[in-house]
Amino acid sequence: QLQLQESGPGLVKPSETLSLTCTVSGGSISSSPYYWGWIRQSPGKGLEWIGSIYYSGSTYYNPSLKSRVTISVDTSKNQFSLRLRSVTAADTAVYYCARHNRLGSRADPFDPWGQGTLVTVSS
Amino acid sequence: QSALTQPASVSGSPGQSITISCTGTSSDVGGYKYVSWYQQYPGKVPKFIIYDVSNRPSGVSNRFSGSKSGNTASLTISGLQAEDEADYYCSSYTTTGTVVFGGGTKLTVL
């Protein structure tokens, strides 16, 4: 059974870089052509897609965040990562990692999801 | 890209049917048959209940159904039950290869 787990600092200072890692277990990122993604949810707000990465490394970003976001994959560690630069309080959110459901399709819904990790931006 | 538009809240009594709308543009909802719906309970991870506009994954009740007309997709829940009280989000693939979510709708079962 595929499982995803986010990890990283829960507190980041304004103007610094938010870095999160998603560790995948129960399956190999490199062995199947899936897309993997990051989604966030600000407290009491809706879901926002941050971006997705193909197992080969091709990336697709939310245009509103594109200038600050980098998503990368490390197949040797079976992980993919998120870096969000120059954060402000508006970036405070629960950050989820997830996989697009069907092989080779980022048009697919996300399933499964990690449990999410709260990142607070504050000095 | 702008978030898809959903009503902030809807409500219904047990046994009734409700419909949640999700309005986008010809660049997202209207452009493809790739609209999904998620159900999220407070403090829980979202779970997808509809994909490709109207398909249900295995294990999802047939009380949930999806449809689309033009730039507006809809989620209908029939035979409303107390356990259906949750937040519902639509999402769509876009013509630029990105993903966009709706703002979410809080369903209250009266």
Side-chain angles (χ1 to χ4, degrees):
Chain A
Q1 178 183 351
L2 192 73
Q3 293 186 316
L4 291 78
Q5 178 69 59
E6 305 88 352
S7 60
L11 180 65
V12 181
K13 290 183 168 56
S15 81
E16 295 190 344
T17 296
L18 178 161
S19 295
L20 295 174
T21 295
C22 182
T23 300
V24 178
S25 59
S28 170
I29 288 180
S30 61
S31 65
S32 300
Y34 283 98
Y35 283 90
W36 307 82
W38 288 96
I39 305 99
R40 70 181 183 179
Q41 186 169 31
S42 300
K45 303 291 187 181
L47 301 169
E48 182 179 28
W49 175 72
I50 299 171
S52 296
I53 187 166
Y54 199 39
Y55 78 122
S56 60
S58 301
T59 51
Y60 304 84
Y61 298 129
N62 184 326
S64 67
L65 298 170
K66 187 173 184 176
S67 63
R68 298 193 293 131
V69 173
T70 300
I71 296 176
S72 58
V73 63
D74 186 338
T75 54
S76 67
K77 295 182 179 179
N78 221 30
Q79 296 175 334
F80 61 104
S81 299
L82 168 70
R83 286 173 57 85
L84 180 64
R85 297 174 289 279
S86 305
V87 297
T88 69
D91 294 310
T92 293
V94 173
Y95 285 77
Y96 296 99
C97 62
R99 190 194 73 181
H100 287 269
N101 187 47
R102 284 180 294 195
L103 282 170
S105 173
R106 67 181 182 277
D108 245 38
F110 290 101
D111 182 68
W113 295 57
Q115 65 185 26
T117 186
L118 174 63
V119 178
T120 302
V121 178
S122 175
S123 55
Chain B
Q1 60 191 22
S2 299
L4 306 175
T5 301
Q6 297 181 232
S9 63
V10 298
S11 62
S13 299
Q16 288 185 331
S17 294
I18 63 95
T19 296
I20 299 171
S21 62
C22 169
T23 302
T25 69
S26 57
S27 296
D28 37 62
V29 174
Y32 289 110
K33 215 182 169 187
Y34 294 130
V35 176
S36 302
W37 288 90
Y38 296 84
Q39 177 189 59
Q40 185 182 33
Y41 293 109
K44 300 297 185 182
V45 174
K47 167 192 168 186
F48 85 98
I49 57 174
I50 295 288
Y51 67 100
D52 293 354
V53 174
S54 59
N55 293 318
R56 279 187 312 275
S58 60
V60 172
S61 170
N62 59 9
R63 297 185 300 104
F64 294 89
S65 62
S67 62
K68 190 185 82 159
S69 177
N71 296 337
T72 298
S74 298
L75 172 71
T76 298
I77 308 174
S78 58
L80 208 57
Q81 299 179 1
E83 68 199 47
D84 300 330
E85 186 162 294
D87 294 327
Y88 292 85
Y89 294 90
C90 61
S91 77
S92 176
Y93 187 63
T94 78
T95 55
T96 55
T98 62
V99 174
V100 61
F101 283 98
T105 298
K106 180 178 179 58
L107 169 61
T108 300
V109 180
L110 302 170

